[in-house]
Amino acid sequence: MKKKIGIHQLYSEDPVKADELVWGRQSDPDSRRGFLKKSGLAAMGMVLGGTVVFAENMPAGLIPAGLLDLAQGSPIPGKHPDLIVLNDKPWNIETPAHLLDDEVTPADKLFVRNNGLAPEKIDVAAWTLTLDGESIPEPVVITLADLKSKFKHYTYRLTLECGGNSRAEFNPPAKGNQWANGAVGCSEWTGVRLRDLLEYAKVKKDAVYVGYYGKDKHLNNDPNKVVISRGVPIAKAMEDESLIAFAMNGKDIPLMNGHPLRMIIGGWPASVSGKWLTRLSVRNIVHDGPKMESPSYRVPCKPVAPGETVKDEDMCIIESMPVKSLITYPKSGAMITSDKVLKLRGHAWAGDKEVVDMHVSIDFGATWQKCVLKAPHNRLAWQRWTADVKFPQKGYYEVWAKATDSEGISQPMVVPGWNPKGYLNNATHRIAIKVQ
Ligand SMILES: Nc1nc2c(c(=O)[nH]1)N[C@H]1C(S)=C(S)[C@@H](COP(=O)(O)O)O[C@H]1N2
Ligand SMILES: [Mo]
């Protein structure tokens, strides 16, 4: 069941609280007069398409009229109004496939997956990153300013996909956010290499895993409870593209995507890319932070029948994500005329591997047409594919898209490998086309 939360619903429960969430408005409980900070004001201006001239007169808890037409939209500042809200506590927001058409996913179209409450106050000037753990001789604290000025910067486009993306298609259903296909994106990240930081902190030879800690708060507000602390084996941490990023698409990372500092690990479930990063714990064992334990972000080590119960010890940690693709143009349901060639487009990716082949079918998988496929901009970036398709007669069609990775593994046409938590569904993406 999809839970969509529109702006009205958000405001109906507690408009003043909603205001605080949406715009960061701090309200005076006595006068109910809103006080908007500069950032909230700027966000409001951006969403409404112009500076709010008399903002200081705006009562707290008032839904801007300019937002009313955006009804079902995402109420998060800086996020496109057509993103779909699956949950608001915590925020889980996905991007419809047709909004993922850009080669580089813009900030307003990158999905949000929070496990807890995003930090409310970010003090960039006071932000530090600590490196500690069994495999670091002496804990090291680096200020954000030093991290930016003392280490070499690298920029990569990296595909981030939630391990639970496309969960909605599993049957029997798996609990959790019922993502359709839009918990994925490929933005351009700038930061320092995780490897450079580890070497600076004199990482020991016995290092096994790098675990992250972020500044978000547990849903129950308990400051001592860690929301999520996952990470990657040392070999993945040492790769060129494993970044500690402070910028996305040449700007500050959006608040909901981890501003001012986050880990970015392309090709692996995005849950290993820690947001609001404050600490890296370099472990001499497989990291054991919250949500590393079974069954979180794990799948059965051996395939199981749909609905089967799997023991915790028979679940294995997800590493590289499987081959997958999206049709990003046209939007599902598009109507075209029968004399037209339809120019389809999308992206394909394959975890740590590359996509080497891309096909589409308009006859429910009976025959497949080869697509034009571009090389990735850099390793671990998704790849653009295009195809010119003609439809033989008027009627309803489905376009199915199928990518094949460098090991010859293709996307399945039916939902693969049912698993208790509903991870790793990489079945072919399907859209509807009506030819008139
Ligand atoms: N600190 C922190 N990091 C986090 C999370 C979180 O809840 N807290 N969620 C993880 C999960 S499950 C995913 S899919 C990605 C989502 O990244 P995004 O919100 O920038 O799209 O962040 C990961 N990093
Ligand atoms: Mo995730």
Side-chain angles (χ1 to χ4, degrees):
M1 192 188 70
K2 215 178 244 181
K3 186 176 165 197
K4 284 193 191 179
I5 297 188
I7 190 96
H8 289 284
Q9 200 181 333
L10 178 72
Y11 272 78
S12 66
E13 280 156 30
D14 183 348
V16 176
K17 180 87 213 192
D19 241 355
E20 245 172 64
L21 271 172
V22 176
W23 313 111
R25 188 198 298 269
Q26 280 149 7
S27 42
D28 171 355
D30 297 322
S31 67
R32 283 184 57 107
R33 258 298 192 71
F35 163 67
L36 265 182
K37 281 185 296 186
K38 240 179 152 179
S39 58
L41 205 63
M44 189 184 272
M46 206 159 101
V47 174
L48 297 177
T51 309
V52 183
V53 177
F54 295 113
E56 74 276 12
N57 297 340
M58 220 170 145
L62 177 80
I63 306 176
L67 268 189
L68 294 176
D69 346 333
L70 304 177
Q72 280 297 325
S74 149
I76 294 285
K79 289 292 171 188
H80 192 285
D82 292 343
L83 299 200
I84 299 160
V85 178
L86 301 182
N87 195 355
D88 65 337
K89 203 172 190 272
W91 288 109
N92 285 290
I93 304 178
E94 78 166 294
T95 316
H98 71 279
L99 289 184
L100 287 169
D101 194 40
D102 304 81
E103 210 115 335
V104 177
T105 308
D108 68 330
K109 293 176 185 151
L110 182 62
F111 77 101
V112 175
R113 196 294 187 239
N114 289 349
N115 287 266
L117 306 168
E120 276 158 23
K121 289 184 199 91
I122 307 274
D123 187 349
V124 175
W127 199 274
T128 58
L129 175 66
T130 300
L131 284 96
D132 60 13
E134 300 94 353
S135 296
I136 296 291
E138 280 290 328
V140 172
V141 181
I142 306 169
T143 65
L144 181 56
D146 277 353
L147 183 133
K148 288 183 182 176
S149 66
K150 297 202 168 137
F151 294 86
K152 192 164 176 218
H153 297 183
Y154 295 87
T155 298
Y156 297 105
R157 295 180 189 174
L158 297 165
T159 308
L160 270 193
E161 182 181 16
C162 177
N165 193 24
S166 310
R167 175 181 289 129
E169 294 173 359
F170 278 108
N171 192 20
K175 278 201 200 112
N177 288 298
Q178 296 300 298
W179 302 108
N181 302 301
V184 63
C186 182
S187 301
E188 192 162 78
W189 298 90
T190 298
V192 304
R193 280 189 174 145
L194 173 52
R195 182 175 73 217
D196 291 349
L197 292 178
L198 294 175
E199 281 165 4
Y200 174 78
K202 303 197 168 61
V203 61
K204 293 199 267 181
K205 286 216 164 54
D206 67 352
V208 170
Y209 230 87
V210 180
Y212 68 75
Y213 290 87
K215 212 177 164 64
D216 43 343
K217 269 202 301 189
H218 201 269
L219 285 175
N220 66 13
N221 259 307
D222 180 346
N224 300 314
K225 260 195 127 178
V226 174
V227 176
I228 180 171
S229 172
R230 306 197 69 246
V232 287
I234 194 75
K236 182 68 180 167
M238 291 297 215
E239 284 184 2
D240 286 355
E241 300 84 2
S242 293
L243 294 184
I244 300 303
F246 44 75
M248 191 186 104
N249 299 346
K251 300 209 174 90
D252 280 353
I253 299 170
L255 173 64
M256 282 292 166
N257 300 107
H259 173 71
L261 195 66
R262 81 173 293 181
M263 202 161 153
I264 290 288
I265 306 288
W268 283 40
S271 55
V272 304
S273 292
K275 303 194 278 190
W276 310 292
L277 186 70
T278 55
R279 178 181 157 212
L280 290 168
S281 183
V282 187
R283 311 295 310 271
N284 63 4
I285 54 164
V286 173
H287 184 51
D288 52 2
K291 304 225 166 169
M292 280 301 296
E293 79 281 1
S294 198
S296 296
Y297 303 101
R298 291 183 186 226
V299 288
C301 305
K302 295 197 188 90
V304 299
E308 207 172 293
T309 313
V310 186
K311 287 197 227 118
D312 278 354
E313 62 265 34
D314 294 335
M315 300 279 276
C316 286
I317 300 172
I318 298 169
E319 298 201 328
S320 174
M321 295 291 286
V323 62
K324 198 163 174 179
S325 60
L326 274 182
I327 303 163
T328 57
Y329 182 87
K331 183 178 173 178
S332 186
M335 304 224 218
I336 62 160
T337 50
S338 55
D339 54 329
K340 285 250 169 65
V341 170
L342 179 61
K343 291 188 170 300
L344 292 166
R345 308 192 275 275
H347 309 287
W349 61 97
D352 282 340
K353 292 182 269 180
E354 205 174 302
V355 178
V356 296
D357 239 337
M358 185 71 212
H359 291 88
V360 289
S361 174
I362 60 164
D363 54 12
F364 301 97
T367 63
W368 294 88
Q369 175 184 332
K370 202 172 163 73
C371 307
V372 175
L373 176 71
K374 278 215 235 165
H377 179 266
N378 52 257
R379 187 174 167 255
L380 310 181
W382 67 16
Q383 296 165 241
R384 172 59 96 192
W385 64 265
T386 54
D388 290 349
V389 179
K390 273 218 79 153
F391 296 89
Q393 62 182 71
K394 291 176 186 170
Y396 171 89
Y397 293 85
E398 289 194 8
V399 177
W400 293 10
K402 179 176 76 173
T404 304
D405 72 20
S406 49
E407 283 174 12
I409 300 170
S410 297
Q411 291 180 253
M413 280 174 269
V414 293
V415 179
W418 183 93
N419 61 92
K421 301 280 283 177
Y423 298 122
L424 307 187
N425 174 13
N426 67 334
T428 49
H429 183 211
R430 303 154 47 208
I431 62 164
I433 298 288
K434 285 165 211 154
V435 180
Q436 291 175 324

